[in-house]
Amino acid sequence: MVLALSLAACGDDGGGGESKSSGGQEKITVAALPLTDAAALYLARDRGLFGKEGLDVTIQPVQQSIQALPALKNGQVDVIAGANYVTFLQADEKGTLDLRIVSEGVRVAPHMMDVLVPEDSDIKSAADLKGRKVAVNILNNIQSLTLDAILDKQGLGHPVYRQIAFPQMGPALQRHQVDAVHAVEPFDSAIQEQVKARVLIDGGTAPVSSLPISGYVSTKKYADGHAKAAAAFQRAIRAASRIAAEDPDAVRAELPKYTKVTAAQAGSMALPAYATATDPAQLRRLTALMSKQGLLKKPLDPATLLVK
């Protein structure tokens, strides 16, 4: 079920201050994307880690984390899993969201996202991308941020970005609506298989290697009003992230449960690096890159946004 985003009856609650306990457990609603980024969330659910922390967690699937931003602001969801930082750091800067980062999610790893082109494309190298149409899930966000950084390091020109949701990237490439797509797993592997696309650029190369790209975010109001629940959720996610980091097969077993990939596809796809702790220094790499590319207008220390 895709998260309903009707906010008319919800007001500006923000989810803070009100008891959400039921049957002795604290209830938390989490919006999550069907990406490898959210694997720790599902591991925590299926390994009983939330229950051990006294939490009753409901997961609401969404296709883009930006879709869930209004729901987070208005208290329809308490946490967003797999939330790309760019969207939420910009919302915090603009004052549309009082952001808190509950826990880091994943960092960039080799081939967890790739730039793909059709097998018979005349684009043969990264240099050929200049001025060509490349699909990204959201404009001016993590994909264009990281790809432009990779191209800048090589002294190459930028493509022109087109916004196409991950599930529609394969058909768009097949119909030549775009020249290339920048896809993240599990869509990356699916497009390679279904469209016979080939990898042009590994989206996990320098200078974006190990860059934090998504996490578990909430609001200051929720984090302050439900401090014990937020801390319990943080402990459960970090425990699950340790499992994910140490046992990739555990992640691969989870993926077919909440994404459309098959077990065979899950067994071969590249996984992101699951962060077992939140590192302000790594997050500053991201905010520095955002500032350099004009995606943040003012200096921001992400350490001030962390749930301790």
Side-chain angles (χ1 to χ4, degrees):
M1 179 181 70
V2 175
L3 176 67
L5 296 176
S6 173
L7 307 177
C10 297
D12 189 15
D13 173 72
E18 298 177 4
S19 173
K20 293 190 175 185
S21 62
S22 176
Q25 290 189 312
E26 190 78 7
K27 297 175 71 67
I28 297 181
T29 301
V30 182
L33 283 77
L35 303 176
T36 53
D37 301 37
L41 175 72
Y42 290 91
L43 277 170
R45 179 194 65 182
D46 294 345
R47 299 291 180 98
L49 301 179
F50 290 133
K52 288 179 182 177
E53 292 289 349
L55 300 177
D56 177 7
V57 173
T58 298
I59 300 175
Q60 300 270 19
V62 292
Q63 294 303 315
Q64 294 176 325
S65 56
I66 196 170
Q67 293 176 341
L69 193 155
L72 178 67
K73 180 180 178 182
N74 292 329
Q76 285 179 288
V77 301
D78 304 310
V79 176
I80 300 177
N84 81 73
Y85 290 126
V86 173
T87 295
F88 293 89
L89 290 170
Q90 288 181 317
D92 184 81
E93 181 181 64
K94 293 174 182 174
T96 56
L97 183 72
D98 203 352
L99 177 69
R100 286 297 178 269
I101 298 172
V102 180
S103 183
E104 263 200 63
V106 302
R107 299 176 187 169
V108 173
H111 291 294
M112 63 160 287
M113 53 185 179
D114 289 312
V115 177
L116 306 174
V117 295
E119 197 170 33
D120 60 353
S121 172
D122 63 349
I123 299 176
K124 304 300 182 186
S125 71
D128 297 332
L129 275 184
K130 182 180 179 181
R132 304 298 286 267
K133 291 180 287 188
V134 174
V136 293
N137 195 46
I138 304 173
L139 292 175
N140 300 315
N141 213 282
I142 193 70
Q143 293 165 286
S144 57
L145 178 81
T146 53
L147 179 55
D148 284 350
I150 291 170
L151 295 172
D152 286 345
K153 183 175 175 61
Q154 299 178 43
L156 302 175
H158 296 176
V160 177
Y161 294 104
R162 296 285 185 266
Q163 181 166 315
I164 297 177
F166 286 127
Q168 280 77 53
M169 284 185 178
L173 192 64
Q174 202 164 28
R175 291 194 293 264
H176 302 290
Q177 293 173 331
V178 291
D179 300 301
V181 300
H182 194 197
V184 67
E185 294 288 16
F187 302 98
D188 186 346
S189 290
I191 294 170
Q192 291 185 56
E193 180 178 321
Q194 295 164 6
V195 186
K196 306 303 179 190
R198 58 180 166 84
V199 176
L200 181 73
I201 299 173
D202 174 3
T205 55
V208 301
S209 306
S210 301
L211 188 75
I213 57 172
S214 71
Y216 296 80
V217 304
S218 186
T219 61
K220 181 179 185 299
K221 188 173 183 180
Y222 178 83
D224 289 349
H226 299 270
K228 289 184 179 179
F233 183 84
Q234 184 184 68
R235 288 193 297 271
I237 287 298
R238 288 181 177 175
S241 295
R242 285 193 291 274
I243 294 172
E246 295 168 2
D247 184 7
D249 287 344
V251 175
R252 300 183 191 285
E254 284 293 331
L255 292 174
K257 300 178 184 178
Y258 71 93
T259 71
K260 293 183 178 180
V261 302
T262 65
Q265 290 170 330
S268 61
M269 70 175 53
L271 298 176
Y274 293 92
T276 58
T278 301
D279 185 346
Q282 290 296 323
L283 288 168
R284 289 188 190 102
R285 289 179 60 208
L286 174 67
T287 54
L289 187 57
M290 288 178 65
S291 296
K292 181 180 179 181
Q293 294 193 17
L295 296 182
L296 283 176
K297 307 303 180 187
K298 297 178 289 188
L300 171 65
D301 183 357
T304 62
L305 303 178
L306 304 184
V307 173
K308 305 296 184 183

